[in-house]
Amino acid sequence: MVSFDRFTLTNGLRVLVHQDNATPMAVVNVLYDVGARDENPDRTGFAHLFEHLMFGGSVNIPNFDGPSQVAGAQNNAFTSNDITNYYITLPAANIETAFWLESDRMLGLAFNEKSLEVQRNVVCEEFKQRYLNQPYGDVWLRLRPLAYQVHPYRWATIGKELAHIEHAKMEDVKDFFATYYTPANAYLVVAGNVETATVKALAEKWFGPIPAGQKPRRQLPVEPAQLAPRREVVHADIPQNAIYMAFHGAARRDSGYYTVDLITDLLSQGQSSRLYRRLVKENQLFSEISAYQTGSMDPGLVVVEGKPLPDVTMEAAEEAIWRELAELRSHPIEPYELEKVKNKIESTMVFAEMGILEKAMNLAYFELLGDADGFNHETQRYLAVTEADIQRQAQQLFRKENSSTLIYLANDHA
Amino acid sequence: MLDRTKAPAHFATTRFDLIRPRQVTFANGLPVFVFDAGDQDLVRIEWIVGNIFAAEDHALLNTAVCEMLLEGTSVHSSAALAELIDFHGAFLVPSFSYDQSSLTLFSLNKHLNQLLPLVREILTDSVFPERELATYIRNSTQKLQVSLKKNGFEARRQFNRAVFGTSRYGYAPEVADYERINRNDLLQLFGKQYRPENGTLVVAGKVTDEVIDMLERLFGNEWQPAGTAASVDGPPTITPAQAGELIVVERPDALQSAIRLGRQSIQRSHPDFPGLQVVNTLLGGYFGSRLMANIREDKGYTYGVSSGLASLKHSAFFTIASEVGVQVTAATLVEIEKEMRRLREEPVPETELATVRNYMMGTMLGSLENIFSHADKFKNVYFSGLDLDYYDYYIDVVNSITQAEVQRLANTYLDYDKMVKVVVGKLS
């Protein structure tokens, strides 16, 4: 149980406080309701590039990291297709430093040309390191546009291509900031060895004077139902063939999200899971295999990915996966197996309450979903899923016409 | 009017409180360290054994024994074990490191009476079935082939070989080495290594008397050394490559080069160790480090560059790692050399040293956020043959180190010319 207090400043900034006196530390976490899905299709990768620029100095503070480090803090951020999340962890006695730093970059950035130029390069190197210079690194650059034709989930957070990042201009940076980095579009969570009254006073002092701005309206195209299977085959210089199958699934706020999560757990959580047990161990068709869902705000994907062993044809590998998925459609699972995956969820949720940073991020994210208290009811939502729900959801998901299959075939150098 | 140009007052962290474990020794000699705290009904239990190498050039055997611990006992098959662990919502994770092999259980307390007997069975009666071994070899070889395509992975292997020669620390398995693993060798090594007199038990979380009693019965009374006398781990003979050697593995299609640079260094028990950690932090140990400031934040050559100091049982090493655009590989090496030289030749400004001091103390405090991290801090010193008093010395050094001392340490330990340099990708 993660308890919290909640209040809203007059400029619209929502603030949540979670007190945990077992630690001498505090976390200041700011979630902005903006991600790669909000980008212009011709300037993708921008939300993430922008995240880098948030460390390039703000209107009154030329250097973000220096003062943070002097206060014994660690800070970082991440961008997803849905959100951008910043956090600072520091000794609780120094918490005002975090308020000062975070509020100034919400107030305004330095918009420094040198920073833009350097971060364009840094992000291009990140693009190469993670997506281009790795075997199978470009999976999401291919799988997203295969599965989504209209919705902005068709591009990855890093962007569609290097050129989009190389051409980012200061003018775009300024517009993006003005549109999305407003108090009304942010969630501030403070957790750790703190008191609500202190946090309230500090929030009023540092964030209160920031002009309200507008909560941007999001009007994203809806992905139409997929009517036919899609397929892409890539020949690449890789040591082993690989298969990725994506199915349109649930959005994070759908009740089906929990059912889908349990389905992917049945398929690949732990060494007793179906795909691992049957396709890796018993039938020895794959060297590795896994299933998961993207869990995004708009309807996401369920992905099954695996690497068939060298003597297994891609047809046989693919057929084996379909056989397992078909079984979930045709046979209700045993209560024992459902209980098993629910038990795993239960312990995972208890372990998730071990750290203040994780708790702070979860509170911010669940507040974005509608209510931070939702985090305290997650386990119950999983426990409510029935065998019949699993079968119904599997029937909805695992249809050929709902599938996008990406196949990597190794170039033969023998 | 609020003056946003002025930083609020901040306070330096000058100390932190470590939780000292309660130590128990079971009847069979197994030392047990208990860290009891926390509101949640959960525990992390680690069974740790020291690695004993049958042959320095076949350290893969030790890895295989560790990674195959869940593949079956004479009572439970691999499938049955997996089913029981998963059903009880637990995570049981074998992990292999340079000097120790461990099996870690994450579990809610309510399932321990089901799970602990299984762990005892695994530690005393693993049988390494032939069929599971064949699967292990096949799948591990596939994974190795994928990893070998990653420049960073290959660079780390080349680096270890160059710094530690053919010893256990320099060993990097080839695909063919997997074929040398056989069941008999696994069983023999398992019998030699997984013994109470070679083990340590570290328990953290809500450790009630009931938990201790159960552990004592299963791992104090029912875990007895069997068969031949225990072997002892002898220190390896390490013959490193020539100081300063440059190793280039050309990858014509590379977009980035992986760089690894470094040499053997001092262990945690050496009086210079905490001071060298300060120097390491200045150079490449945090986001504001000189290498990051120069190579990433000024030049934009890389997504990240870092340095690190690792203490092992019989040795230690210092390393710098980065992945950089191929066209700036040579330029990056020049900048690394420049930054090392600057630390040797110029006194570090007092403000920069103060930042690093505060940063190190703050992150040390932050790394102690739950009972598991207290246990981790303890393991760091315990396996270096030290005790928690080490951290008093560490705090003292970090808080009082002088500019002159930083320079002395840089001159003693950071000589670019003596470092092995590995580039996987393109150098020119």
Side-chain angles (χ1 to χ4, degrees):
Chain A
M1 177 74 187
V2 180
S3 57
F4 59 90
D5 292 317
R6 174 166 41 195
F7 54 91
T8 305
L9 303 186
T10 47
N11 59 14
L13 178 68
R14 266 139 301 181
V15 187
L16 286 83
V17 187
H18 165 65
Q19 193 170 343
D20 177 351
N21 292 337
T23 168
M25 303 293 286
V27 172
V28 173
N29 187 87
V30 185
L31 182 156
Y32 290 93
D33 184 2
V34 59
R37 67 177 165 163
D38 299 304
E39 292 161 352
N40 177 334
D42 301 318
R43 288 175 200 175
T44 63
F46 203 83
H48 169 249
L49 172 65
F50 190 86
E51 173 217 309
H52 279 243
L53 298 172
M54 282 284 279
F55 295 88
S58 53
V59 58
N60 297 297
I61 309 172
N63 174 328
F64 182 88
D65 278 301
S68 160
Q69 287 147 359
V70 170
Q74 278 182 304
N75 65 73
N76 211 333
F78 65 85
T79 309
S80 74
N81 294 78
D82 293 327
I83 60 167
T84 314
N85 190 78
Y86 300 82
Y87 56 91
I88 303 181
T89 309
L90 76 179
N94 292 344
I95 194 158
E96 190 161 5
T97 303
F99 276 88
W100 171 61
L101 288 166
E102 282 299 355
S103 65
D104 202 54
R105 63 180 178 177
M106 189 183 286
L107 181 67
L109 286 189
F111 301 117
N112 170 333
E113 281 291 350
K114 158 99 183 172
S115 169
L116 175 59
E117 188 196 322
V118 168
Q119 293 308 318
R120 270 195 304 245
N121 287 335
V122 169
V123 171
C124 284
E125 291 305 323
E126 181 182 1
F127 199 129
K128 291 180 206 163
Q129 183 173 327
R130 295 165 68 162
Y131 296 83
L132 303 179
N133 211 33
Q134 298 285 338
Y136 321 99
D138 60 352
V139 165
W140 287 98
L141 303 181
R142 296 176 182 278
L143 196 57
R144 285 189 172 277
L146 192 63
Y148 291 103
Q149 297 188 322
V150 176
H151 192 280
Y153 286 163
R154 69 185 187 275
W155 57 84
T157 312
I158 195 74
K160 288 179 187 170
E161 48 187 297
L162 285 168
H164 281 192
I165 296 154
E166 285 159 359
H167 296 148
K169 292 186 187 57
M170 187 55 84
E171 186 191 322
D172 307 329
V173 176
K174 288 183 177 169
D175 287 349
F176 198 84
F177 183 79
T179 310
Y180 295 108
Y181 280 72
T182 63
N185 205 37
Y187 299 81
L188 170 68
V189 178
V190 183
N193 203 331
V194 294
E195 307 231 352
T196 301
T198 318
V199 172
K200 197 162 189 173
L202 288 170
E204 295 284 2
K205 176 178 173 184
W206 293 103
F207 287 93
I210 301 173
Q214 299 267 318
K215 170 97 188 161
R217 276 185 44 214
R218 182 178 277 123
Q219 281 179 304
L220 300 179
V222 176
E223 184 68 21
Q226 188 178 337
L227 301 173
R230 296 173 196 154
R231 193 172 190 84
E232 183 178 322
V233 179
V234 185
H235 295 266
D237 188 16
I238 42 170
Q240 202 182 351
N241 295 340
I243 178 168
Y244 298 82
M245 287 167 44
F247 303 88
H248 290 282
R252 186 62 182 79
R253 276 180 284 221
D254 295 347
S255 64
Y257 167 86
Y258 301 93
T259 314
V260 173
D261 229 29
L262 290 174
I263 287 177
T264 57
D265 286 352
L266 287 164
L267 288 172
S268 83
Q269 166 73 259
Q271 300 206 341
S272 74
S273 59
R274 290 182 173 208
L275 294 179
Y276 183 77
R277 184 54 42 208
R278 297 178 190 169
L279 303 190
V280 175
K281 287 289 206 160
E282 287 167 20
N283 290 321
Q284 313 209 332
L285 297 167
F286 287 83
S287 64
E288 51 190 285
I289 191 157
S290 65
Y292 53 91
Q293 67 169 333
T294 53
S296 47
M297 300 285 288
D298 293 320
L301 299 175
V302 176
V303 179
V304 178
E305 60 173 74
K307 296 197 178 75
L309 286 164
D311 56 345
V312 176
T313 64
M314 194 46 89
E315 291 74 26
E318 205 173 339
E319 204 183 296
I321 293 177
W322 276 109
R323 210 163 38 238
E324 291 304 325
L325 303 181
E327 194 181 322
L328 279 174
R329 295 170 47 119
S330 56
H331 295 86
I333 64 161
E334 293 293 328
Y336 160 82
E337 201 180 354
L338 185 56
E339 192 185 340
K340 180 176 76 174
V341 288
K342 286 179 177 177
N343 286 346
K344 205 78 160 203
I345 295 276
E346 189 199 356
S347 17
T348 310
M349 293 297 291
V350 179
F351 276 93
E353 290 185 22
M354 291 292 284
I356 49 170
L357 178 57
E358 198 169 353
K359 286 190 282 188
M361 283 183 184
N362 272 311
L363 288 176
Y365 186 65
F366 278 85
E367 187 69 4
L368 173 72
L369 293 177
D371 180 4
D373 192 42
F375 180 58
N376 291 316
H377 302 287
E378 279 292 270
T379 309
Q380 285 149 260
R381 297 206 172 99
Y382 283 104
L383 294 182
V385 174
T386 66
E387 291 84 358
D389 293 334
I390 299 273
Q391 190 172 9
R392 205 173 319 117
Q393 188 75 52
Q395 287 167 352
Q396 175 61 29
L397 280 176
F398 301 131
R399 293 171 293 121
K400 287 261 151 86
E401 63 272 24
N402 190 36
S403 70
S404 299
T405 305
L406 172 63
I407 289 181
Y408 280 82
L409 295 177
N411 289 332
D412 197 0
H413 291 301
Chain B
M1 186 64 193
L2 186 59
D3 182 1
R4 290 183 181 272
T5 59
K6 254 187 74 193
H10 61 82
F11 309 91
T13 303
T14 48
R15 56 186 290 272
F16 45 82
D17 296 316
L18 288 166
I19 296 174
R20 288 182 184 262
R22 181 155 68 90
Q23 184 177 355
V24 189
T25 305
F26 286 165
N28 56 359
L30 180 70
V32 184
F33 298 95
V34 179
F35 295 82
D36 177 28
D39 303 330
Q40 280 91 3
D41 284 318
L42 52 81
V43 284
R44 184 185 80 180
I45 307 178
E46 297 168 276
W47 291 264
I48 304 166
V49 296
N51 290 336
I52 293 168
F53 293 88
E56 296 283 328
D57 66 348
H58 196 28
L60 183 58
L61 208 54
N62 299 69
T63 314
V65 169
C66 178
E67 292 180 348
M68 284 193 69
L69 281 177
L70 307 183
E71 297 301 342
T73 67
S74 62
V75 180
H76 289 95
S77 67
S78 164
L81 285 176
E83 202 64 51
L84 283 162
I85 294 160
D86 285 343
F87 183 78
H88 293 102
F91 295 87
L92 185 61
V93 189
S95 70
F96 180 81
S97 64
Y98 287 107
D99 296 306
Q100 284 95 26
S101 299
S102 64
L103 188 60
T104 306
L105 175 71
F106 296 88
S107 171
L108 300 184
N109 286 50
K110 65 179 178 182
H111 297 306
L112 285 177
N113 55 353
Q114 303 294 320
L115 293 165
L116 290 178
L118 277 186
V119 176
R120 189 199 57 87
E121 195 181 303
I122 288 165
L123 289 176
T124 54
D125 185 29
S126 277
V127 294
F128 307 95
E130 285 288 2
R131 183 183 155 89
E132 305 295 351
L133 175 59
T135 305
Y136 174 77
I137 291 174
R138 190 168 46 235
N139 294 345
S140 302
T141 341
Q142 292 299 323
K143 279 176 199 145
L144 176 59
Q145 280 168 325
V146 173
S147 299
L148 287 172
K149 287 278 179 185
K150 300 179 182 174
N151 296 349
F153 183 85
E154 179 62 20
R156 199 162 55 239
R157 285 160 62 94
Q158 295 285 348
F159 175 80
N160 288 350
R161 276 182 192 151
V163 173
F164 292 113
T166 53
S167 73
R168 64 187 75 171
Y169 300 138
Y171 175 74
E174 297 294 346
V175 169
D177 290 347
Y178 280 93
E179 302 302 331
R180 287 166 61 200
I181 303 176
N182 68 63
R183 181 167 177 258
N184 272 343
D185 291 350
L186 291 177
L187 282 167
Q188 212 168 26
L189 183 62
F190 174 70
K192 265 201 250 178
Q193 195 176 291
Y194 290 77
R195 309 165 67 103
E197 70 273 30
N198 188 38
T200 308
L201 187 54
V202 181
V203 193
K206 186 166 267 184
V207 193
T208 59
D209 289 345
E210 196 189 341
V211 172
I212 298 284
D213 289 348
M214 213 181 329
L215 287 170
E216 177 147 33
R217 180 167 54 76
L218 291 163
F219 302 98
N221 305 331
E222 294 179 24
W223 188 15
Q224 292 301 333
T228 53
S231 310
V232 283
D233 170 41
T237 313
I238 299 171
T239 323
Q242 209 184 326
E245 191 182 357
L246 171 67
I247 297 163
V248 181
V249 179
E250 276 284 335
R251 298 236 161 136
D253 300 330
L255 296 172
Q256 285 187 318
S257 303
I259 295 177
R260 290 289 180 286
L261 193 144
R263 62 180 304 202
Q264 283 185 42
S265 191
I266 49 170
Q267 292 168 287
R268 193 180 304 275
S269 53
H270 192 290
D272 282 347
F273 191 81
L276 189 52
Q277 279 184 305
V278 175
V279 177
N280 169 62
T281 306
L282 278 164
L283 179 65
Y286 74 128
F287 196 91
S289 71
R290 291 184 173 196
L291 289 174
M292 277 294 266
N294 178 347
I295 296 168
R296 173 176 148 139
E297 292 297 301
D298 184 56
K299 308 226 164 43
Y301 288 171
T302 181
Y303 178 49
V305 53
S306 63
S307 68
L309 181 62
S311 178
L312 307 169
K313 186 177 173 190
H314 301 291
S315 187
F317 64 93
F318 170 82
T319 186
I320 294 175
S322 186
E323 310 212 7
V324 305
V326 284
Q327 71 287 358
V328 293
T329 307
T332 301
L333 288 175
V334 170
E335 295 305 321
I336 291 174
E337 178 178 15
K338 202 184 288 173
E339 292 304 342
M340 286 167 84
R341 197 173 51 232
R342 210 152 64 85
L343 274 174
R344 292 159 60 97
E345 291 176 359
E346 298 166 23
V348 54
E350 187 49 52
T351 48
E352 188 182 359
L353 188 54
T355 298
V356 162
R357 233 180 236 140
N358 290 358
Y359 174 80
M360 288 178 77
M361 291 299 292
T363 52
M364 180 62 98
L365 192 67
S367 71
L368 293 171
E369 78 164 348
N370 60 43
I371 193 68
F372 297 164
S373 22
H374 283 272
D376 293 340
K377 285 283 173 299
F378 170 76
K379 283 188 293 173
N380 281 345
V381 291
Y382 178 72
F383 289 112
S384 292
L386 302 166
D387 60 30
L388 285 173
D389 294 342
Y390 165 80
Y391 290 105
D392 293 333
Y393 176 59
Y394 174 91
I395 292 170
D396 191 41
V397 171
V398 172
N399 283 323
S400 65
I401 192 168
T402 61
Q403 294 163 295
E405 176 66 357
V406 166
Q407 211 171 339
R408 178 189 74 81
L409 291 165
N411 276 293
T412 313
Y413 300 105
L414 298 186
D415 185 346
Y416 182 84
D417 293 335
K418 291 199 179 128
M419 305 237 171
V420 162
K421 294 119 196 149
V422 175
V423 172
V424 177
K426 284 188 232 175
L427 188 53
S428 49

